[in-house]
Amino acid sequence: MINREHDGLARRGIGMTSQRTRERLIQRLYEEGLSNAHVLEVIRRTPRHLFVDEALAHRAYEDTALPIGHNQTISQPYMVGRMTELLLAAGPLDKVLEIGTGSGYQTAVLAQLVERVFSVERIQGLQDRAKERLLELELRNVVFRWGDGWEGWPALAPYNGIIVTAAASTVPQALLDQLAPGGRLVIPVGSGVEQQLLLIVREEHGFSRHVLDAVRFVPLLNGPLA
Ligand code: SAH
């Protein structure tokens, strides 16, 4: 279900970039295989140009990753949609943990599709900007933590879904520990150019593990950074 109360978001988006450019992006994502109508609708209404520097705003509706400073990137819309679809594929989720807030774009998409989002970022400057953007868009069901994503957010565990938007060298044990029964973890794993998107589901006994697409993310680093 799309949360209907987020009207501020639709208002803010209107007129700031051409609606046609956005429709083209949605059409392209659909052709590339995204199929969850709720997810596509949320991407259509989320003003991605507010999540990048003004100088790059004209490229915000291209299906590419873009720089957001601090050597980080805003994820490609296709990948945001793909990971969100994987997370939601077994039904609606109430508590979702996100590792790697970055610009807050993926956070904003999630916030419109699940009950509550808990988002961890190690670079405080990025987190501060992301917080401002989500407030501006009246997305209030998100809480932020400055910290090391390798540790997850144990105090508020367990989570029905966990999404990691940076590539981990191995699957962090803390994240497995913090998955609720039936919970789903979507995470890119690998180093350099050899990365794969994994879906890990907490079953009654142990975990099932599905190896999906070859992907390219910035690395999941160690420890918080001011
Ligand atoms: N979903 C974000 C993607 C940002 S890129 C967006 O669309 O904007 C990945 C993010 O992960 C970066 O902001 C980076 O600082 C963060 N990151 C990397 N290692 C981390 C760690 N150990 N803990 C928390 N965040 C981390």
Side-chain angles (χ1 to χ4, degrees), residues 72-75 100-103 106 120-123 126 147-150 165-166 218-221:
Q72 306 302 323
T73 54
I74 182 172
S75 306
T101 316
S103 66
Q106 169 83 68
V120 179
E121 169 58 54
R122 72 187 277 278
I123 300 177
L126 287 177
D148 182 4
W150 282 94
T165 66
V218 296
L220 188 69
L221 301 172

Side-chain angles (χ1 to χ4, degrees), residues 59-201:
R59 299 192 56 196
Y61 299 96
E62 291 176 16
D63 189 23
T64 54
L66 293 168
I68 53 172
H70 303 266
N71 273 328
Q72 306 302 323
T73 54
I74 182 172
S75 306
Q76 180 192 2
Y78 173 80
M79 199 44 63
V80 170
R82 170 82 171 129
M83 293 172 82
T84 306
E85 283 194 0
L86 287 167
L87 209 59
L88 296 174
L93 300 176
D94 55 358
K95 284 177 71 184
V96 172
L97 174 67
E98 176 189 48
I99 305 299
T101 316
S103 66
Y105 177 68
Q106 169 83 68
T107 323
V109 168
L110 284 172
Q112 296 168 76
L113 290 158
V114 307
E115 292 280 321
R116 283 176 299 165
V117 182
F118 303 85
S119 191
V120 179
E121 169 58 54
R122 72 187 277 278
I123 300 177
Q124 201 151 34
L126 287 177
Q127 181 182 60
D128 290 345
R129 275 299 288 132
K131 263 187 203 171
E132 287 170 14
R133 290 179 179 120
L134 268 78
L135 275 180
E136 204 177 318
L137 297 174
E138 298 172 26
L139 295 170
R140 299 202 180 87
N141 55 339
V142 182
V143 284
F144 297 89
R145 173 181 154 102
W146 176 54
D148 182 4
W150 282 94
E151 295 165 13
W153 192 338
L156 301 175
Y159 305 96
N160 309 104
I162 302 181
I163 181 170
V164 183
T165 66
S169 49
T170 58
V171 178
Q173 183 60 43
L175 300 186
L176 294 174
D177 295 342
Q178 290 168 34
L179 267 187
R184 302 162 73 79
L185 166 63
V186 177
I187 180 171
V189 173
S191 55
V193 291
E194 300 273 311
Q195 301 173 7
Q196 274 165 324
L197 191 61
L198 304 189
L199 166 67
I200 296 173
V201 183

